[in-house]
């Protein structure tokens, strides 16, 4: 059979049987490149290494994992790095991608594995300087390679035979056989495909972690096919200047996509926050009470976390009082304020309300509704809620307390952290006798909670 000539766009990867000045897919000009497509012959198709198997005959087994000492990193990936997996990590510039991966490389190397860290964005000396700062000059078995050629990286893999390969970043590498710029869809996908072959080699499986650049729309740069190709997509969130970083998987073939890992960005690198409940609430001494603060329990993945919600209520001197929420949607805050005014019999029509959380954690669950309302009540009354009290309930438009999912796990976390009482909806807990050191207070309505905490009298002098 004769070779077939095709034309491929270097910008979006679309193909055409003839050359055109303008790409019909991405509207780019003069981006079509001539390629020779060699049809597969019957003889080449017959050279297969394996034969199809019945599903019932395939031996099931768990993939081996490299378990690091970075607990939050292990949690997000479902228990560690799978040895024949390919992972892509993406985040905004400055979020700490390279820092985290250098720490992972050092941890894996100290366990006896060989690591190749290939970077096309930083020189050897830049990586060394970061290593001296965050790893205290570690002498681990980490090999550094700075080059933009993926061909040279693949040759280095053959030479060193590493167990873990880190690529920083995939959009900056090129293959010599493809005449297009770095970061183009063709180069990115072809480089990723070569790394996929390295990771999925049956005779020598290796783990590959790639850094993926993020666009202004908070998506991985390049074709969506890149996300389909990899086993896990790890996203690192965090604003520049803030200490808290959160990592989660939007795709994970070896674990849950609901788990979130928390890190603290410091001068010594990314520190794993192994007990987030202590990080997201203020540690106060015995007898130290502050008004406008309430504790709730959120659930991130399979892990319940206690979070402190703070409020500030002040007199408004404008016709339209401010409603400011740094941690939840403004519509949600307005709804809870309306419930408090109508069902809790507390007027806020002439008062500004500001809500935030300790640590800057975002509130997405309805389970925090009662805690948000009660911290507002505490601020209005200028009366502190006891430090040993937690609220775990939703509040309906009728003012009734509603059940929340995974209530048993949330209460166990409250008990583990040493709190004395928790407010929940009526008939929520099946067997409260299991919690001997925790008083579970089951009430019907929001107004019952206000009465129980002796906050029914409104102090209008703000």
């Amino acid at each position: 059979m004769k070779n077939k000539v095709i034309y491929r766009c270097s910008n979006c990867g679309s193909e055409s049987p003839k050359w055109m000045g303008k790409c019909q897919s991405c509207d780019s000009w003069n981006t079509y490149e001539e390629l020779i497509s060699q049809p597969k012959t019957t003889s080449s198709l017959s050279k297969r290494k394996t034969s199809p198997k019945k599903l019932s005959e395939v031996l099931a087994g768990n993939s081996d994992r490299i378990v690091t000492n970075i607990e939050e990193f292990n949690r997000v990936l479902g228990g560690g790095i799978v040895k024949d997996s390919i992972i892509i990590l993406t985040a905004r510039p400055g979020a700490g991608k390279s820092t985290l991966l250098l720490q992972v490389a050092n941890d894996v190397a100290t366990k006896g594995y060989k690591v190749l860290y290939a970077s096309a964005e930083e020189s050897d000396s830049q990586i060394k300087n970061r290593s001296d700062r965050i790893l205290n000059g570690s002498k681990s078995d980490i090999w550094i390679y700075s080059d933009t050629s993926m061909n040279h990286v693949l040759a280095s893999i053959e030479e060193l035979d590493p167990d873990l390969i880190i690529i920083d970043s995939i959009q900056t590498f090129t293959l010599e056989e493809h005449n297009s710029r770095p970061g183009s869809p063709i180069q990115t996908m072809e480089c990723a495909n070569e790394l996929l072959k390295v990771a999925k080699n049956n005779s020598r499986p290796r783990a590959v972690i790639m850094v993926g650049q993020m666009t202004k729309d908070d998506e991985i740069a390049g074709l969506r096919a890149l996300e389909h190709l990899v086993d896990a997509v790890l996203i690192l969130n965090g604003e520049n200047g803030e200490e808290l970083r959160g990592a989660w998987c939007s795709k994970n073939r070896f674990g849950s996509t609901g788990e979130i890992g928390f890190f603290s960005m410091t001068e010594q690198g990314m520190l794993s926050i192994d007990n987030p409940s202590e990080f997201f609430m203020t540690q106060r001494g015995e007898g130290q009470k502050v008004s406008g603060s309430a504790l709730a329990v959120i659930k991130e993945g399979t892990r319940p976390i206690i979070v402190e919600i703070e409020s500030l209520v002040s007199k408004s001197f404008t016709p339209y009082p401010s409603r400011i929420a740094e941690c939840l949607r403004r519509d949600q805050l307005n709804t809870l304020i309306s419930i408090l005014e109508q069902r809790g019999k507390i007027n806020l029509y002439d008062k500004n309300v500001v809500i935030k959380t300790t640590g800057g954690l975002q509130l997405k669950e309805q389970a925090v509704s009662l805690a948000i309302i009660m911290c507002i009540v505490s601020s209005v009354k200028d009366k502190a809620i006891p430090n040993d009290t937690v609220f775990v309930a939703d509040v309906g438009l009728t003012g009734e307390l509603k059940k929340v999912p995974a209530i048993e796990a949330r209460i166990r976390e409250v008990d583990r952290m040493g709190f004395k009482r928790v407010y929940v909806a009526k008939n929520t807990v099946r067997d409260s006798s299991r919690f001997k050191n925790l008083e579970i207070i089951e009430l019907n309505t929001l107004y019952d909670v206000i009465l129980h905490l002796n906050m029914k009298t409104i102090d209008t002098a703000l």
Side-chain angles (χ1 to χ4, degrees):
M1 297 179 63
K2 294 183 178 180
N3 294 337
K4 182 180 179 182
V5 178
I6 62 173
Y7 297 88
R8 181 181 294 172
C9 175
S10 61
N11 184 53
C12 68
S14 64
E15 296 181 353
S16 173
K18 62 180 181 179
W19 186 89
M20 291 184 292
K22 181 180 180 182
C23 176
Q24 299 298 312
S25 298
C26 64
D27 295 333
S28 299
W29 287 91
N30 299 322
T31 55
Y32 275 109
E33 299 174 348
E34 181 179 326
L35 299 174
I36 304 298
S37 176
Q38 297 180 352
K40 296 181 179 179
T41 61
T42 306
S43 59
S44 63
L45 292 176
S46 63
K47 296 179 181 179
R48 58 187 181 185
K49 298 180 180 180
T50 59
S51 300
K53 297 180 182 178
K54 289 185 178 180
L55 180 61
S56 58
E57 297 175 354
V58 177
L59 297 177
N62 296 324
S63 298
D64 293 335
R65 292 181 184 266
I66 302 173
V67 181
T68 72
N69 291 326
I70 307 174
E71 294 297 335
E72 294 299 284
F73 187 77
N74 295 335
R75 173 184 290 275
V76 174
L77 293 179
I81 305 171
V82 178
K83 292 184 177 180
D84 60 348
S85 66
I86 180 168
I87 303 167
I88 187 166
L89 170 64
T90 185
R92 294 179 179 178
K97 302 183 295 295
S98 300
T99 298
L100 177 60
L101 290 182
L102 189 57
Q103 291 179 254
V104 171
N106 178 69
D107 187 271
V108 171
T110 56
K111 297 181 181 298
Y113 297 99
K114 185 180 291 186
V115 180
L116 173 62
Y117 190 106
S119 175
E121 297 183 345
E122 295 180 298
S123 64
D124 296 347
S125 59
Q126 288 176 313
I127 299 174
K128 175 61 176 176
N129 290 336
R130 179 186 289 114
S131 172
D132 292 340
R133 177 171 56 86
I134 66 176
L135 304 179
N136 297 320
S138 176
K139 305 298 183 182
S140 302
D141 195 11
I142 304 176
W143 297 78
I144 302 298
Y145 188 76
S146 295
D147 201 329
T148 59
S149 172
M150 180 57 67
N151 302 84
H152 296 168
V153 172
L154 295 174
S156 299
I157 293 174
E158 290 294 326
E159 177 186 353
L160 297 174
D161 190 25
D163 301 288
L164 172 63
I165 304 158
I166 296 177
I167 304 296
D168 188 7
S169 66
I170 188 63
Q171 283 87 2
T172 55
F173 285 91
T174 58
L175 283 167
E176 296 175 0
E177 49 266 37
H178 300 284
N179 186 21
S180 57
R181 60 179 177 81
S184 66
I186 292 177
Q187 286 287 5
T188 301
M189 289 304 302
E190 292 301 328
C191 288
N193 278 314
E194 291 297 325
L195 293 171
L196 180 66
K197 296 176 184 177
V198 170
K200 303 298 181 180
N201 190 324
N202 293 328
S203 60
R204 180 60 172 97
R206 300 180 178 93
V208 177
I209 303 179
M210 305 183 299
V211 173
Q213 297 174 356
M214 181 175 279
T215 66
K216 293 186 295 184
D217 298 325
D218 293 343
E219 296 181 350
I220 301 177
L223 300 176
R224 180 70 70 177
L226 182 62
E227 298 181 44
H228 293 287
L229 179 142
V230 301
D231 296 310
V233 178
L234 182 60
I235 301 174
L236 185 64
N237 292 328
E239 300 293 337
N240 291 336
E242 292 187 0
E243 181 181 355
L244 181 65
R245 298 288 189 273
W248 59 281
C249 277
S250 63
K251 172 187 177 181
N252 191 357
R253 289 175 179 157
F254 306 106
S256 171
T257 58
E259 297 293 345
I260 294 184
F262 295 101
F263 300 89
S264 177
M265 188 65 171
T266 67
E267 293 184 357
Q268 289 74 39
M270 302 276 279
L271 302 182
S272 180
I273 303 176
D274 298 331
N275 190 1
S277 292
E278 293 182 350
F279 187 88
F280 294 115
M281 62 182 181
T282 304
Q283 302 296 329
R284 298 188 175 94
E286 188 70 23
Q288 183 183 1
K289 296 182 179 180
V290 178
S291 62
S293 172
L295 298 175
V297 184
I298 63 172
K299 199 164 181 293
E300 295 289 357
T302 60
R303 177 173 54 181
I305 300 172
I306 298 178
V307 57
E308 180 184 13
I309 306 172
E310 300 175 336
S311 72
L312 178 63
V313 179
S314 61
K315 182 72 175 181
S316 175
F317 298 96
T318 64
Y320 302 99
S322 299
R323 303 287 189 255
I324 302 174
E326 298 181 2
C327 55
L328 73 159
R329 293 181 294 105
R330 185 177 179 182
D331 291 343
Q332 184 180 354
L333 176 59
N334 286 331
T335 300
L336 296 178
I337 290 176
S338 298
I339 294 172
L340 176 58
E341 289 183 319
Q342 186 68 27
R343 306 302 180 183
K345 301 179 175 57
I346 294 180
N347 293 323
L348 297 170
Y349 64 90
D350 60 343
K351 297 178 177 63
N352 301 316
V353 180
V354 182
I355 298 289
K356 66 175 297 183
T357 57
T358 300
L361 196 63
Q362 294 295 308
L363 303 176
K364 303 175 183 178
E365 290 188 278
Q366 299 298 324
V368 301
S369 297
L370 179 58
I372 294 174
I373 291 177
M374 291 311 300
C375 78
I376 296 175
V377 174
S378 172
S379 185
V380 171
K381 274 286 296 165
D382 195 20
K383 182 177 180 180
I385 296 172
N387 295 337
D388 58 0
T389 301
V390 183
F391 302 93
V392 187
D394 186 15
V395 183
L397 297 179
T398 60
E400 296 173 302
L401 302 187
K402 307 290 186 178
K403 298 179 181 179
V404 298
I407 185 66
E408 299 283 346
R410 298 175 198 259
I411 293 178
R412 281 196 300 269
E413 178 67 10
V414 173
D415 188 33
R416 184 187 73 85
M417 293 298 296
F419 293 94
K420 299 301 181 183
R421 61 183 62 86
V422 58
Y423 285 86
V424 298
K426 198 74 173 179
N427 301 321
T428 294
V429 184
R430 297 179 182 178
D431 185 13
S432 59
S433 61
R434 292 179 297 166
F435 307 97
K436 298 180 180 179
N437 300 322
L438 181 65
E439 180 186 2
I440 301 176
I441 304 172
E442 298 182 273
L443 298 175
N444 285 318
T445 67
L446 168 64
Y447 194 66
D448 292 339
V449 178
I450 296 175
L451 291 177
H452 197 275
L453 287 169
N454 195 25
M455 292 187 177
K456 62 179 180 179
T457 304
I458 307 170
D459 186 2
T460 58
L462 287 176

